[in-house]
Amino acid sequence: MSSYRELPIGIFTGSSNPALAEKIAAAYGQSLGKLSRVVFSDGELYAKYQESIRGRDLFIIQSTYPNADNWMELLLLIDAAKRASAVRINAVIPYFGYARQERKDQPRVPIAAKLMADLLQTAGINRVLTMDLHASQIQGFFNVPVDHLYASAVFTGYFQKLRLTNLVVVAPDVGAIKMARAYANRLDTDLAVIDKRRPHPNAAEIMNIIGEVKGRNVLLIDDIIDTAGTLTNAANALREAGAHEIMAACTHPLLSGKAYERIESSVLSKLVVTDSIPLKRESECVEVVSVAGMFADAIQRIATDDSVSTLFNP
């Protein structure tokens, strides 16, 4: 079949982020499909579609942050959809877990992101829709189309409304330069970079600030914040270098371990995040902007074979 335009659309969600899924479905203009999910006493998962999905263009929404049950539930839903004769199965993964293990940088380690891609394809997906992959080359791990959304389209509008002056966008490490440059271009401002060394996982040591931040208002940009060690160390270094107000934005707020304590006791005035992952708890320092509208627009464009890339035009 060359076009999916005439197929009825089905939008379903796993259990990882139902609040976001409900917003996406509402923005699209239809209700979520009905699913049942059971966890047996030994932890085994069971999932079943509670309505016919035969002949439908199916969109399954599931962020795959830890624990691994979120991945397993998604795989089960894909397999069930394939066996129930859905015509096309689109995995909508706002946060793609294991994306930080995208290369073999040490002996005897896995390339976990490639393994996840293989599992999704074996289960039966026809397409992936995701946002701000930790490494964009993960798209190449798939042999099916991957639509990669960018939260910058949402964040830029948010920060433009704040009318920030004398602003500089800062990448907290070298890996975030490309993303930070995109924000700097959209906000028509300067770019700076923090050079750091990571002695071991979840630990970072600030080394150098490349760029002028003294007397400037700063916007730190990253795709993932886990323990917030990198973020808060970067904020402290910027303050010592003479920066004024320091804000931060990240797409995927994992916020594990002592992340909340570090953020709340740091020099950051605000951390703005998306709802790709549900927050573990509320905090006065953390503000959420929704990406539901963007995902709903992308689903509409995929369903009608229209361009998704036009969503990113400033």
Side-chain angles (χ1 to χ4, degrees):
M1 181 179 291
S2 59
S3 175
Y4 296 93
R5 287 176 181 266
E6 304 303 320
L7 292 178
I9 302 299
I11 302 177
F12 292 80
T13 183
S15 59
S16 71
N17 197 348
L20 173 60
E22 288 173 3
K23 291 178 184 177
I24 292 173
Y28 183 82
Q30 73 178 54
S31 300
L32 287 172
K34 296 179 180 179
L35 279 172
S36 63
R37 179 183 184 272
V38 176
V39 181
F40 296 133
S41 62
D42 65 348
E44 183 176 319
L45 299 178
Y46 169 88
K48 179 182 178 180
Y49 292 91
Q50 295 290 85
E51 58 190 76
S52 174
I53 56 175
R54 182 180 294 272
R56 299 174 78 177
D57 190 5
L58 215 64
F59 292 83
I60 305 170
I61 303 170
Q62 178 83 327
S63 280
T64 53
Y65 58 89
N67 61 44
D69 282 355
N70 289 326
W71 268 111
M72 192 66 201
E73 183 181 14
L74 176 59
L75 295 171
L76 291 173
L77 290 172
I78 293 167
D79 185 72
K82 177 177 65 176
R83 297 178 189 277
S85 300
V87 172
R88 180 169 65 168
I89 304 169
N90 307 275
V92 181
I93 310 174
Y95 172 69
F96 190 96
Y98 289 91
R100 287 176 287 180
Q101 299 181 55
E102 88 289 0
R103 65 191 186 278
K104 191 173 184 293
D105 57 353
Q106 300 177 49
R108 301 175 296 281
V109 297
I111 304 179
K114 177 63 167 70
L115 175 61
M116 298 301 113
D118 290 344
L119 288 171
L120 288 168
Q121 291 174 123
T122 300
I125 59 160
N126 300 105
R127 193 177 201 99
V128 173
L129 173 61
T130 188
M131 182 174 65
D132 280 352
L133 288 167
H134 187 65
S136 59
Q137 64 264 29
I138 292 172
Q139 296 172 81
F141 295 168
F142 290 90
N143 294 318
V144 298
V146 177
D147 290 302
H148 189 200
L149 304 182
Y150 299 95
S152 58
V154 174
F155 279 139
T156 301
Y158 173 90
F159 287 110
Q160 284 174 335
K161 290 178 181 177
L162 295 182
R163 300 187 180 278
L164 302 169
T165 59
N166 197 24
L167 183 68
V168 58
V169 174
V170 176
D173 56 36
V174 174
I177 290 178
K178 184 177 180 181
M179 173 180 285
R181 182 181 292 117
Y183 279 84
N185 289 339
R186 281 178 171 268
L187 294 170
D188 191 25
T189 189
D190 298 328
L191 173 68
V193 182
I194 293 178
D195 175 35
K196 71 172 186 182
R197 180 174 59 202
R198 187 184 293 275
H200 54 81
N202 295 135
E205 180 183 345
I206 301 300
M207 299 296 291
N208 251 324
I209 297 175
I210 304 169
E212 184 56 54
V213 299
K214 186 176 182 179
R216 308 286 297 273
N217 294 316
V218 168
L219 174 59
L220 275 162
I221 294 291
D222 212 347
D223 61 330
I224 296 171
I225 294 178
D226 191 353
T227 63
T230 294
L231 178 71
T232 52
N233 286 344
N236 291 335
L238 290 164
R239 175 55 53 82
E240 291 174 4
H244 284 171
E245 183 177 5
I246 304 170
M247 294 181 293
C250 89
T251 307
H252 308 299
L254 289 170
L255 301 183
S256 65
K258 297 181 179 179
Y260 281 95
E261 290 80 0
R262 286 172 175 159
I263 291 167
E264 290 166 351
S265 63
S266 74
V267 298
L268 288 170
S269 63
K270 182 186 295 187
L271 169 62
V272 186
V273 302
T274 80
D275 52 357
S276 68
I277 298 172
L279 294 179
K280 292 181 172 66
R281 66 174 176 87
E282 292 184 357
S283 171
E284 292 183 357
C285 298
V286 181
E287 185 171 344
V288 180
V289 296
S290 183
V291 290
M294 178 186 293
F295 274 96
D297 287 345
I299 289 172
Q300 177 66 55
R301 291 167 186 268
I302 292 168
T304 55
D305 294 331
D306 292 322
S307 171
V308 174
S309 63
T310 54
L311 289 173
F312 314 133
N313 294 333

